[in-house]
Amino acid sequence: MSKLILANFKSNKSIIDTNLWFEKFLKNIDDSVLSKLDVSVAPSFVALVSAEKVLEKIGKNVSLSIQNISSFPAGSYTGAISGQNLSGLKIKYAVVGHSERRKYFGEKSSDVALKVTQSLQNGIMPILCVDTEYLEEQFGLIDKKELEKCIVAYEPISAIGTGKNADVGKVKGVVEKVKRLAGNVPIIYGGSVDEFNINEYLMVTDGALVGTASLDADQFQRLLEAVS
Ligand code: PGA
């Protein structure tokens, strides 16, 4: 598997700013950089349609992802975005259970388990975010066969958006633990990843989730170019 680098824009950027980001990034990034990696970008839901048009126009090897998915199927769930709402769009990955969803929206491990099911049922690969305190509880609530189809993202809360990226030795230990508990699933790291530290994490994981360092197209390009 190529190393996965996923840009997570969170609630940043208007539709226009998202389009501008895609135009700039896709025009400037070299195909030779993209061909070695699996690069995906998760803008806000409302920017997905226009971002896909820019991607189709410029035609580069970059996919779209989502930052969340409803725990329910299509139906009477006001305000939720179901897998069916997204059909027709080419979405590769769904970030599920991000710690910001837990912190600000009260998401529980049981909700996240339902999101894994919804992602898979809609042909979207779940990127299951965990921190060490609830890793075992979270894995225990997911059907074993579904867990084996996830990519696990180890995201220590203390490292997210703080500039305090985790110790690589610690990440390596968690990778081993995840493999023991969940089987041989791909594991990525997230938390203050930037162009200067990315290679350390790629030595011990299958990729990275990048928040802050993805918001500027040039900075994200430099991060990808730094991957050795
Ligand atoms: P950060 O965000 O790169 O800004 O730390 C990462 C994440 O939340 O996935």
Side-chain angles (χ1 to χ4, degrees):
M1 155 182 174
S2 324
K3 300 286 183 187
L4 165 62
I5 313 286
L6 180 76
N8 176 10
F9 288 177
K10 309 191 178 183
S11 291
N12 297 292
K13 296 190 191 297
S14 63
I15 296 174
I16 289 174
D17 287 344
T18 305
N19 284 352
L20 290 173
W21 186 101
F22 272 90
E23 297 261 3
K24 189 175 194 192
F25 173 70
L26 296 172
K27 281 187 179 140
N28 292 340
I29 188 85
D30 208 87
D31 284 324
S32 64
V33 175
L34 294 176
S35 66
K36 311 182 286 206
L37 298 166
D38 177 5
V39 177
S40 197
V41 183
S44 72
F45 280 115
V46 291
L48 285 167
V49 173
S50 56
E52 187 171 271
K53 291 208 176 90
V54 179
L55 261 169
E56 277 169 2
K57 187 179 76 184
I58 303 182
K60 290 252 170 132
N61 186 25
V62 172
S63 64
L64 283 176
S65 290
I66 48 177
Q67 302 170 21
N68 184 29
I69 190 167
S70 174
S71 18
F72 300 103
S76 300
Y77 305 100
T78 301
I81 296 187
S82 68
Q84 190 194 63
N85 295 147
L86 300 162
S87 63
L89 286 165
K90 291 188 208 75
I91 307 294
K92 190 163 181 186
Y93 301 110
V95 176
V96 294
H98 192 285
S99 59
E100 288 156 9
R101 300 286 319 165
R102 289 176 177 266
K103 180 174 174 190
Y104 299 111
F105 302 91
E107 262 181 33
K108 307 261 178 316
S109 296
S110 52
D111 304 314
V112 177
L114 294 172
K115 286 169 190 251
V116 167
T117 304
Q118 287 306 313
S119 300
L120 290 169
Q121 284 183 357
N122 287 282
I124 303 173
M125 187 177 282
I127 299 191
L128 173 65
C129 298
V130 287
D131 196 356
T132 42
E133 297 110 81
Y134 49 82
L135 185 152
E136 286 170 48
E137 173 194 90
Q138 182 63 78
F139 288 174
L141 287 166
I142 297 171
D143 174 85
K144 197 166 181 307
K145 286 212 169 66
E146 291 190 346
L147 185 58
E148 284 166 1
K149 293 185 185 133
C150 291
I151 293 176
V152 172
Y154 169 46
E155 293 223 308
I157 293 164
S158 59
I160 295 175
T162 58
K164 296 186 184 127
N165 53 306
D167 174 71
V168 181
K170 168 105 197 286
V171 176
K172 191 163 180 276
V174 175
V175 166
E176 283 157 13
K177 184 168 182 188
V178 169
K179 296 228 185 255
R180 266 200 314 279
L181 294 169
N184 196 25
V185 292
I187 302 161
I188 66 175
Y189 165 78
S192 299
V193 174
D194 62 22
E195 66 202 90
F196 306 106
N197 62 31
I198 177 103
N199 282 307
E200 294 176 47
Y201 296 108
L202 296 186
M203 303 264 276
V204 297
T205 66
D206 300 298
L209 232 168
V210 184
T212 312
S214 72
L215 294 177
D216 177 73
D218 291 334
Q219 192 181 357
F220 189 58
Q221 182 183 335
R222 286 200 303 277
L223 182 147
L224 298 179
E225 287 167 354
V227 175
S228 54

